[in-house]
Amino acid sequence: MRLPKTVLRMAALWAILLGAGAAPAATSGNDPVVPWLAVSTTQMPFARAVADRVGRRDPGLREPVPILRDVATAEGFERLCSGAPTLAAVIATRRMTAREYDRCRAAEVIDVVELTVGLSALGLVHGAALPIDGLTSRSLYLAIARMVPRDGKLVPNPYTSWHEIDPALPAIPIAVALPSPREARRAQFDDAIMEAGCRPLPEIRSVYGADKRRQLCIQARTDGMVQEADDPAELIRRIAAPGSTVLTILSLADLRSGAEEGAPAVNAPISIDGIPPVPDRFLDGRYPLTMATRLYLTRRALDQAGGLRDYVAEFLREAAIGPGGYLEPLGLVPLPTDDRRLARRNAANLRLFAP
Protein backbone atom coordinates (compact mmCIF):
# COMPACT_ATOMS: atom_id res chain seq x y z
CA MET A 1 0.00 0.00 0.00
CA ARG A 2 1.41 3.38 -1.01
CA LEU A 3 0.86 6.18 1.48
CA PRO A 4 -0.15 9.63 0.19
CA LYS A 5 2.74 12.07 -0.21
CA THR A 6 1.24 14.45 2.36
CA VAL A 7 1.21 11.69 4.98
CA LEU A 8 4.81 10.76 4.22
CA ARG A 9 5.85 14.40 4.38
CA MET A 10 4.16 14.94 7.75
CA ALA A 11 5.74 11.79 9.16
CA ALA A 12 9.17 12.82 7.95
CA LEU A 13 8.89 16.31 9.40
CA TRP A 14 7.59 15.00 12.72
CA ALA A 15 10.53 12.61 12.82
CA ILE A 16 12.84 15.60 12.37
CA LEU A 17 11.13 17.39 15.25
CA LEU A 18 11.54 14.35 17.46
CA GLY A 19 15.16 14.06 16.44
CA ALA A 20 14.95 10.70 14.68
CA GLY A 21 18.20 10.26 12.84
CA ALA A 22 19.29 13.80 13.68
CA ALA A 23 22.90 14.67 14.13
CA PRO A 24 24.08 15.27 17.71
CA ALA A 25 24.12 18.84 18.95
CA ALA A 26 27.25 20.90 18.62
CA THR A 27 29.76 19.96 21.26
CA SER A 28 32.71 21.39 23.08
CA GLY A 29 35.07 18.48 23.55
CA ASN A 30 32.84 15.54 24.44
CA ASP A 31 30.15 17.55 26.24
CA PRO A 32 26.98 18.68 24.42
CA VAL A 33 26.11 22.36 24.45
CA VAL A 34 23.22 22.79 26.88
CA PRO A 35 20.54 25.06 25.39
CA TRP A 36 18.42 27.35 27.52
CA LEU A 37 14.88 28.63 27.23
CA ALA A 38 13.74 32.18 28.03
CA VAL A 39 10.54 31.67 30.02
CA SER A 40 7.98 34.28 31.03
CA THR A 41 7.38 34.26 34.79
CA THR A 42 3.75 33.19 34.40
CA GLN A 43 4.75 30.22 32.24
CA MET A 44 7.52 28.87 34.45
CA PRO A 45 5.33 26.27 36.25
CA PHE A 46 4.39 24.74 32.88
CA ALA A 47 7.95 24.90 31.56
CA ARG A 48 9.34 23.18 34.65
CA ALA A 49 6.73 20.43 34.58
CA VAL A 50 7.54 19.61 30.96
CA ALA A 51 11.29 19.61 31.62
CA ASP A 52 10.76 17.31 34.60
CA ARG A 53 8.77 14.85 32.46
CA VAL A 54 11.44 14.79 29.77
CA GLY A 55 14.17 14.11 32.32
CA ARG A 56 12.22 11.47 34.26
CA ARG A 57 10.91 9.63 31.21
CA ASP A 58 14.37 9.10 29.74
CA PRO A 59 17.15 9.90 32.22
CA GLY A 60 19.65 8.45 29.75
CA LEU A 61 18.97 11.03 27.04
CA ARG A 62 22.06 11.65 24.97
CA GLU A 63 21.07 15.32 24.75
CA PRO A 64 20.54 17.43 27.89
CA VAL A 65 17.20 18.85 28.96
CA PRO A 66 17.21 22.61 28.25
CA ILE A 67 17.91 24.97 31.13
CA LEU A 68 14.99 27.24 32.05
CA ARG A 69 15.61 30.90 32.84
CA ASP A 70 13.08 33.48 34.01
CA VAL A 71 13.52 36.20 31.41
CA ALA A 72 11.24 39.09 30.44
CA THR A 73 9.52 38.32 27.14
CA ALA A 74 10.89 41.39 25.35
CA GLU A 75 14.43 40.42 26.32
CA GLY A 76 13.82 36.83 25.25
CA PHE A 77 12.64 37.90 21.80
CA GLU A 78 15.59 40.26 21.47
CA ARG A 79 18.04 37.45 22.21
CA LEU A 80 16.23 34.98 19.96
CA CYS A 81 16.40 37.48 17.11
CA SER A 82 20.08 38.16 17.73
CA GLY A 83 20.85 34.53 16.94
CA ALA A 84 22.23 33.82 20.43
CA PRO A 85 23.81 30.38 19.97
CA THR A 86 22.49 28.65 23.09
CA LEU A 87 19.06 30.32 23.39
CA ALA A 88 16.81 27.61 22.00
CA ALA A 89 13.31 29.03 22.46
CA VAL A 90 11.09 31.58 24.19
CA ILE A 91 7.96 30.60 26.14
CA ALA A 92 5.69 33.63 26.31
CA THR A 93 2.12 34.79 26.81
CA ARG A 94 2.03 37.46 24.14
CA ARG A 95 2.73 37.40 20.44
CA MET A 96 5.95 38.66 18.98
CA THR A 97 5.25 42.11 17.55
CA ALA A 98 5.90 43.16 13.98
CA ARG A 99 8.66 45.46 15.23
CA GLU A 100 10.33 42.61 17.11
CA TYR A 101 10.09 40.37 14.07
CA ASP A 102 11.64 43.11 11.93
CA ARG A 103 14.67 42.93 14.23
CA CYS A 104 14.83 39.20 13.55
CA ARG A 105 14.76 39.79 9.82
CA ALA A 106 17.41 42.49 10.08
CA ALA A 107 19.64 39.94 11.83
CA GLU A 108 18.79 37.36 9.13
CA VAL A 109 16.86 35.23 11.63
CA ILE A 110 13.92 34.48 9.36
CA ASP A 111 13.01 30.95 10.44
CA VAL A 112 10.94 31.77 13.55
CA VAL A 113 8.19 29.25 14.38
CA GLU A 114 5.25 30.03 16.70
CA LEU A 115 3.28 27.29 18.48
CA THR A 116 0.20 28.09 20.60
CA VAL A 117 -0.27 25.23 23.06
CA GLY A 118 -2.84 26.35 25.63
CA LEU A 119 -4.47 29.14 27.62
CA SER A 120 -3.85 30.52 31.07
CA ALA A 121 -4.93 33.64 32.91
CA LEU A 122 -4.09 36.31 35.43
CA GLY A 123 -6.34 36.89 38.40
CA LEU A 124 -7.05 39.87 40.65
CA VAL A 125 -6.40 38.72 44.19
CA HIS A 126 -6.76 40.72 47.41
CA GLY A 127 -5.99 40.52 51.08
CA ALA A 128 -8.56 39.20 53.54
CA ALA A 129 -9.24 42.67 54.98
CA LEU A 130 -10.36 44.11 51.62
CA PRO A 131 -14.02 43.06 51.14
CA ILE A 132 -14.29 43.28 47.35
CA ASP A 133 -15.77 40.56 45.14
CA GLY A 134 -15.37 42.30 41.79
CA LEU A 135 -14.01 45.43 40.12
CA THR A 136 -14.41 47.20 36.81
CA SER A 137 -11.67 48.20 34.41
CA ARG A 138 -12.63 51.83 35.03
CA SER A 139 -12.29 51.51 38.81
CA LEU A 140 -8.89 49.86 38.45
CA TYR A 141 -7.67 52.56 36.09
CA LEU A 142 -8.85 55.31 38.44
CA ALA A 143 -7.17 53.63 41.41
CA ILE A 144 -3.82 53.00 39.73
CA ALA A 145 -3.15 55.64 37.07
CA ARG A 146 -0.85 58.57 37.76
CA MET A 147 -3.08 61.05 35.89
CA VAL A 148 -6.89 60.81 35.86
CA PRO A 149 -9.75 62.97 34.57
CA ARG A 150 -11.26 65.49 36.96
CA ASP A 151 -13.58 68.34 36.01
CA GLY A 152 -12.81 67.92 32.32
CA LYS A 153 -9.02 67.82 32.58
CA LEU A 154 -6.26 65.40 33.56
CA VAL A 155 -4.88 65.88 37.07
CA PRO A 156 -2.57 63.95 39.42
CA ASN A 157 -4.57 61.08 40.92
CA PRO A 158 -6.47 62.44 43.96
CA TYR A 159 -8.15 59.18 45.00
CA THR A 160 -6.96 57.69 48.28
CA SER A 161 -9.71 55.14 49.01
CA TRP A 162 -11.78 52.74 46.93
CA HIS A 163 -14.98 54.39 48.18
CA GLU A 164 -13.97 57.71 46.58
CA ILE A 165 -13.87 55.98 43.20
CA ASP A 166 -17.17 54.12 43.60
CA PRO A 167 -19.55 54.55 46.57
CA ALA A 168 -20.32 50.82 46.36
CA LEU A 169 -16.70 50.00 47.22
CA PRO A 170 -15.33 49.95 50.79
CA ALA A 171 -13.86 53.03 52.46
CA ILE A 172 -10.44 51.41 52.63
CA PRO A 173 -7.18 53.02 51.45
CA ILE A 174 -5.99 52.01 47.99
CA ALA A 175 -3.01 49.63 48.16
CA VAL A 176 -1.97 47.87 44.95
CA ALA A 177 1.09 45.73 44.20
CA LEU A 178 1.94 45.24 40.53
CA PRO A 179 4.75 43.56 38.62
CA SER A 180 7.22 45.98 37.08
CA PRO A 181 6.55 47.28 33.55
CA ARG A 182 9.17 44.92 32.06
CA GLU A 183 7.10 41.87 33.09
CA ALA A 184 4.65 40.17 30.71
CA ARG A 185 2.05 40.11 33.49
CA ARG A 186 2.17 43.89 33.72
CA ALA A 187 1.97 44.30 29.94
CA GLN A 188 -1.11 42.07 29.86
CA PHE A 189 -2.72 44.02 32.70
CA ASP A 190 -1.93 47.37 31.07
CA ASP A 191 -3.32 46.29 27.70
CA ALA A 192 -6.46 44.53 28.92
CA ILE A 193 -7.42 46.57 31.99
CA MET A 194 -5.74 49.96 32.17
CA GLU A 195 -6.33 50.87 28.53
CA ALA A 196 -9.85 49.43 28.56
CA GLY A 197 -10.74 51.58 31.56
CA CYS A 198 -9.09 54.67 30.12
CA ARG A 199 -9.53 54.84 26.35
CA PRO A 200 -13.25 55.77 26.21
CA LEU A 201 -12.79 58.84 28.43
CA PRO A 202 -13.14 62.12 26.49
CA GLU A 203 -10.19 63.68 28.33
CA ILE A 204 -7.98 60.86 26.99
CA ARG A 205 -9.49 60.76 23.52
CA SER A 206 -8.73 64.45 23.07
CA VAL A 207 -4.98 63.87 23.58
CA TYR A 208 -3.09 63.90 20.29
CA GLY A 209 -0.92 60.86 19.54
CA ALA A 210 -1.63 57.18 20.24
CA ASP A 211 1.64 56.65 22.12
CA LYS A 212 0.94 59.59 24.41
CA ARG A 213 -2.60 58.37 25.08
CA ARG A 214 -1.27 54.92 25.95
CA GLN A 215 1.29 56.31 28.38
CA LEU A 216 -1.38 58.37 30.12
CA CYS A 217 -3.50 55.23 30.45
CA ILE A 218 -0.86 52.86 31.81
CA GLN A 219 1.53 55.03 33.82
CA ALA A 220 1.06 54.14 37.49
CA ARG A 221 0.95 56.64 40.31
CA THR A 222 4.12 57.17 42.34
CA ASP A 223 2.66 58.40 45.64
CA GLY A 224 3.13 55.07 47.43
CA MET A 225 -0.32 53.61 46.84
CA VAL A 226 0.98 51.47 43.97
CA GLN A 227 4.14 49.47 44.55
CA GLU A 228 6.05 47.05 42.35
CA ALA A 229 7.18 43.49 43.03
CA ASP A 230 8.07 40.87 40.42
CA ASP A 231 8.39 37.72 42.54
CA PRO A 232 5.01 35.91 42.69
CA ALA A 233 5.94 34.46 46.09
CA GLU A 234 6.46 37.99 47.42
CA LEU A 235 3.09 39.09 46.05
CA ILE A 236 1.40 36.11 47.71
CA ARG A 237 3.06 36.99 51.02
CA ARG A 238 1.79 40.57 50.80
CA ILE A 239 -1.85 39.64 50.29
CA ALA A 240 -1.68 36.76 52.79
CA ALA A 241 -0.33 38.93 55.61
CA PRO A 242 -2.76 39.39 58.54
CA GLY A 243 -5.00 42.40 57.99
CA SER A 244 -3.79 42.87 54.41
CA THR A 245 -5.83 45.16 52.15
CA VAL A 246 -3.44 44.82 49.20
CA LEU A 247 -4.77 44.08 45.72
CA THR A 248 -2.46 42.39 43.21
CA ILE A 249 -2.38 40.34 40.01
CA LEU A 250 -1.12 36.77 39.93
CA SER A 251 -1.25 34.05 37.33
CA LEU A 252 -3.55 31.18 38.19
CA ALA A 253 -0.52 28.93 37.69
CA ASP A 254 1.37 30.87 40.38
CA LEU A 255 -1.55 30.51 42.77
CA ARG A 256 -1.84 26.77 42.23
CA SER A 257 1.87 26.04 42.39
CA GLY A 258 2.14 28.24 45.48
CA ALA A 259 -0.60 26.25 47.20
CA GLU A 260 1.20 23.00 46.37
CA GLU A 261 4.46 24.37 47.78
CA GLY A 262 2.84 25.39 51.07
CA ALA A 263 2.44 29.12 50.39
CA PRO A 264 -0.09 30.92 52.61
CA ALA A 265 -3.72 30.54 51.57
CA VAL A 266 -5.23 33.52 49.76
CA ASN A 267 -8.66 34.52 48.51
CA ALA A 268 -9.84 33.29 45.14
CA PRO A 269 -9.46 35.72 42.20
CA ILE A 270 -12.37 38.12 41.74
CA SER A 271 -14.41 39.03 38.68
CA ILE A 272 -13.51 41.88 36.33
CA ASP A 273 -16.31 43.83 34.65
CA GLY A 274 -18.67 41.17 35.96
CA ILE A 275 -16.81 38.31 34.25
CA PRO A 276 -15.43 35.57 36.53
CA PRO A 277 -12.01 33.96 35.94
CA VAL A 278 -13.25 30.51 34.89
CA PRO A 279 -12.17 28.26 31.97
CA ASP A 280 -15.33 28.79 29.93
CA ARG A 281 -14.71 32.55 29.92
CA PHE A 282 -11.06 31.99 28.95
CA LEU A 283 -12.09 29.88 25.96
CA ASP A 284 -14.72 32.31 24.69
CA GLY A 285 -12.34 35.25 25.15
CA ARG A 286 -14.61 37.24 27.47
CA TYR A 287 -12.36 37.23 30.53
CA PRO A 288 -9.97 40.15 29.87
CA LEU A 289 -6.85 38.71 31.51
CA THR A 290 -6.78 35.50 29.48
CA MET A 291 -3.34 34.64 28.09
CA ALA A 292 -2.13 32.16 25.49
CA THR A 293 0.88 29.95 26.15
CA ARG A 294 3.16 30.28 23.12
CA LEU A 295 6.46 28.69 22.16
CA TYR A 296 8.81 30.56 19.83
CA LEU A 297 11.79 28.78 18.33
CA THR A 298 13.78 28.68 15.12
CA ARG A 299 14.31 25.89 12.65
CA ARG A 300 18.03 26.29 13.17
CA ALA A 301 17.63 25.79 16.92
CA LEU A 302 15.82 22.50 16.34
CA ASP A 303 18.80 21.31 14.31
CA GLN A 304 21.50 22.61 16.65
CA ALA A 305 20.16 22.80 20.22
CA GLY A 306 20.51 19.47 21.97
CA GLY A 307 17.36 18.42 23.81
CA LEU A 308 15.02 20.97 22.23
CA ARG A 309 13.29 18.46 19.96
CA ASP A 310 12.42 16.19 22.88
CA TYR A 311 11.26 19.16 24.94
CA VAL A 312 8.93 20.55 22.25
CA ALA A 313 7.53 17.10 21.47
CA GLU A 314 6.76 16.57 25.17
CA PHE A 315 5.07 19.99 25.43
CA LEU A 316 2.77 19.05 22.55
CA ARG A 317 1.76 15.63 23.87
CA GLU A 318 -1.92 15.14 24.64
CA ALA A 319 -0.86 13.90 28.08
CA ALA A 320 0.55 17.39 28.70
CA ILE A 321 -1.81 19.90 27.08
CA GLY A 322 -5.01 17.90 26.59
CA PRO A 323 -7.99 17.62 28.96
CA GLY A 324 -6.82 15.83 32.09
CA GLY A 325 -3.19 16.42 31.12
CA TYR A 326 -0.57 17.02 33.78
CA LEU A 327 -0.39 20.76 32.98
CA GLU A 328 -4.10 21.33 33.62
CA PRO A 329 -3.82 21.17 37.45
CA LEU A 330 -1.08 23.80 37.19
CA GLY A 331 -3.46 26.25 35.53
CA LEU A 332 -3.16 25.51 31.80
CA VAL A 333 -6.56 25.50 30.10
CA PRO A 334 -6.60 23.03 27.18
CA LEU A 335 -7.38 24.44 23.76
CA PRO A 336 -10.21 22.89 21.74
CA THR A 337 -9.26 19.63 20.01
CA ASP A 338 -8.87 21.21 16.56
CA ASP A 339 -6.55 23.89 17.93
CA ARG A 340 -4.34 21.31 19.64
CA ARG A 341 -4.13 19.39 16.38
CA LEU A 342 -3.22 22.61 14.59
CA ALA A 343 -0.35 23.20 17.01
CA ARG A 344 1.04 19.74 16.24
CA ARG A 345 0.65 20.29 12.48
CA ASN A 346 2.44 23.62 12.74
CA ALA A 347 5.24 21.88 14.64
CA ALA A 348 5.48 19.07 12.11
CA ASN A 349 5.51 21.53 9.21
CA LEU A 350 7.73 24.01 11.09
CA ARG A 351 5.32 26.68 9.91
CA LEU A 352 6.98 30.08 9.87
CA PHE A 353 5.70 32.88 12.08
CA ALA A 354 3.72 35.69 10.44
CA PRO A 355 3.14 38.81 12.60
Side-chain angles (χ1 to χ4, degrees):
M1 175 181 175
R2 178 174 293 179
L3 293 173
K5 289 183 179 179
T6 54
V7 174
L8 292 171
R9 181 169 174 267
M10 288 284 286
L13 286 167
W14 189 244
I16 291 173
L17 179 64
L18 292 175
T27 61
S28 173
N30 294 322
D31 297 326
V33 174
V34 181
W36 63 278
L37 309 184
V39 184
S40 169
T41 300
T42 58
Q43 303 305 294
M44 188 60 79
F46 308 143
R48 285 176 179 151
V50 172
D52 181 62
R53 287 293 177 117
V54 173
R56 285 195 289 118
R57 190 178 68 247
D58 190 358
L61 282 173
R62 65 173 180 174
E63 295 178 332
V65 178
I67 295 170
L68 308 177
R69 294 180 182 170
D70 188 340
V71 175
T73 298
E75 181 182 347
F77 286 151
E78 183 178 350
R79 294 195 182 192
L80 185 73
C81 292
S82 71
T86 58
L87 173 57
V90 177
I91 303 178
T93 58
R94 67 166 177 85
R95 294 201 81 205
M96 179 182 283
T97 66
R99 182 175 297 179
E100 288 167 331
Y101 183 63
D102 286 343
R103 294 195 193 104
C104 281
R105 295 178 62 186
E108 298 185 351
V109 179
I110 58 174
D111 58 344
V112 177
V113 176
E114 177 193 59
L115 304 173
T116 302
V117 299
L119 297 176
S120 56
L122 298 175
L124 280 178
V125 190
H126 60 82
L130 180 63
I132 289 178
D133 58 9
L135 286 167
T136 65
S137 300
R138 179 66 52 80
S139 295
L140 287 162
Y141 158 71
L142 292 175
I144 294 169
R146 183 176 182 180
M147 303 291 289
V148 297
R150 191 91 175 224
D151 299 326
K153 58 184 179 181
L154 293 171
V155 300
N157 197 327
Y159 299 114
T160 59
S161 81
W162 293 102
H163 187 74
E164 292 172 359
I165 294 171
D166 182 345
L169 296 176
I172 291 176
I174 295 167
V176 179
L178 295 176
S180 65
R182 71 181 185 87
E183 285 286 331
R185 289 168 294 164
R186 178 67 173 273
Q188 174 78 5
F189 181 80
D190 287 346
D191 291 345
I193 302 300
M194 296 294 283
E195 287 208 62
C198 165
R199 279 194 307 264
L201 296 169
E203 294 88 347
I204 296 296
R205 293 170 62 186
S206 66
V207 174
Y208 180 77
D211 288 344
K212 189 171 182 180
R213 287 194 296 272
R214 174 174 168 78
Q215 285 305 308
L216 285 170
C217 285
I218 69 173
Q219 193 170 35
R221 61 200 301 176
T222 57
D223 56 5
M225 294 190 178
V226 176
Q227 298 184 355
E228 294 179 355
D230 288 341
D231 182 8
E234 170 61 22
L235 292 171
I236 290 175
R237 283 193 293 271
R238 291 193 187 191
I239 58 175
S244 173
T245 60
V246 173
L247 178 79
T248 191
I249 55 172
L250 288 162
S251 75
L252 302 191
D254 287 333
L255 287 170
R256 295 186 186 188
S257 63
E260 290 179 357
E261 295 169 6
V266 297
N267 290 322
I270 62 177
S271 64
I272 302 173
D273 294 327
I275 302 170
V278 295
D280 285 349
R281 300 291 77 81
F282 304 158
L283 289 167
D284 65 20
R286 292 178 58 196
Y287 181 69
L289 290 178
T290 301
M291 306 179 295
T293 296
R294 297 182 170 97
L295 275 64
Y296 288 88
L297 54 140
T298 64
R299 290 176 172 179
R300 180 175 60 179
L302 281 172
D303 289 336
Q304 297 179 353
L308 180 60
R309 289 176 292 269
D310 297 290
Y311 186 87
V312 173
E314 175 62 30
F315 219 132
L316 292 171
R317 289 180 64 219
E318 192 71 0
I321 61 174
Y326 63 82
L327 295 181
E328 192 171 13
L330 298 179
L332 187 80
V333 177
L335 294 170
T337 301
D338 287 347
D339 291 341
R340 298 196 305 277
R341 289 173 178 164
L342 177 62
R344 296 185 185 103
R345 284 200 302 272
N346 287 343
N349 289 317
L350 299 180
R351 182 175 180 177
L352 293 178
F353 169 71

